[in-house]
Amino acid sequence: IIAPIALKLVALPLVFLGFALIAELDYQWIVTGLILTALPTAGNVFVIAEQYGAAVQRVSATILVSTLISIASLIALLALVL
């Protein structure tokens, strides 16, 4: 569970930052995009998993772990960009 979460919370913001710098986006758009890409897994994923009866425990664990990790990653990210 940790590897995909790390990819989402660390690699995705870095990939976005690379594209944003290439596209020469304004600072406010870069910060907004970085915050959005560093957010944890959405809770609606659990609702969908529960409706279809597919990997409910794994999804709930992923949401929990990604939320806990995102607290640290968002604080670090905000400290870097603000």
Side-chain angles (χ1 to χ4, degrees):
I1 290 177
I2 299 296
I5 293 171
L7 280 173
K8 186 202 177 317
L9 297 177
V10 177
L12 184 59
L14 292 176
V15 169
F16 170 79
L17 181 60
F19 283 120
L21 293 175
I22 290 170
E24 298 178 358
L25 295 179
D26 290 334
Y27 175 76
Q28 66 186 16
W29 294 112
I30 293 174
V31 172
T32 302
L34 285 173
I35 291 170
L36 289 174
T37 57
L39 290 176
T41 304
N44 63 344
V45 176
F46 176 78
V47 174
I48 294 169
E50 191 173 47
Q51 285 180 346
Y52 288 99
V56 174
Q57 289 182 345
R58 184 174 184 155
V59 169
S60 63
T62 300
I63 292 169
L64 174 66
V65 172
S66 70
T67 300
L68 293 174
I69 293 173
S70 74
I71 293 168
S73 66
L74 277 170
I75 290 170
L77 181 66
L78 289 172
L80 290 173
V81 298
L82 295 179

